[in-house]
Amino acid sequence: MRTGQHECFDQLVFDAEGTAADPIGYAVRYVDVLLQDPSDVVVPIKGGAILEISLFSPRYDPASGQPYPPLPSVRVTGYWTFREFKFTGDPEGYTQAGLGVRARLPFRVFQTANHLVVDVAHTW
């Protein structure tokens, strides 16, 4: 995982296992409260709005059952739009995270090679 700042948006990139030809299943949406799945425990996160990010990819090697290395922490101090990122868990074959942002700003999500990219605009 990595982040970047651009002129019009802040960017979060997930590097997925597999090849560029493998589609990455995902769901990204604004939520009022970030709930850890499946416990529904509220996960506090800084920001005026919260993007819930779900990657339909397990955090373990399906062949061996061994977990992948932990996700690195993501620092967003000083970003225009991003306020806080939290990895919330990996229940039942998918990875869940939350991204606290300044406000409910426009965002886009796309795959390039084996990367899932989340861009959040600086303004409306």
Side-chain angles (χ1 to χ4, degrees):
M1 291 185 53
R2 59 191 180 284
T3 59
Q5 294 178 296
H6 300 273
E7 185 176 335
C8 297
F9 58 91
D10 290 346
Q11 185 172 77
L12 177 67
V13 179
F14 293 86
D15 297 320
E17 294 291 323
T19 69
D22 296 330
I24 300 171
Y26 63 87
V28 180
R29 65 188 179 120
Y30 279 110
V31 294
D32 294 327
V33 177
L34 184 60
L35 298 174
Q36 185 176 33
D37 190 27
S39 67
D40 284 341
V41 170
V42 174
V43 178
I45 192 163
K46 296 175 187 171
I50 303 165
L51 276 173
E52 179 184 60
I53 303 166
S54 299
L55 299 175
F56 306 128
S57 173
R59 291 285 310 135
Y60 60 88
D61 181 338
S64 69
Q66 294 299 311
Y68 291 134
L71 289 175
S73 61
V74 176
R75 296 197 50 164
V76 294
T77 304
Y79 278 62
W80 182 263
T81 298
F82 292 171
R83 294 296 180 258
E84 186 175 20
F85 175 84
K86 286 189 176 179
F87 169 67
T88 58
D90 54 357
E92 302 179 16
Y94 75 96
T95 302
Q96 181 190 35
L99 180 62
V101 296
R102 187 169 49 82
R104 279 189 182 234
L105 295 160
F107 71 93
R108 67 179 178 174
V109 183
F110 61 95
Q111 179 179 351
T112 177
N114 63 328
H115 315 288
L116 185 71
V117 180
V118 180
D119 292 338
V120 184
H122 290 168
T123 61
W124 286 268

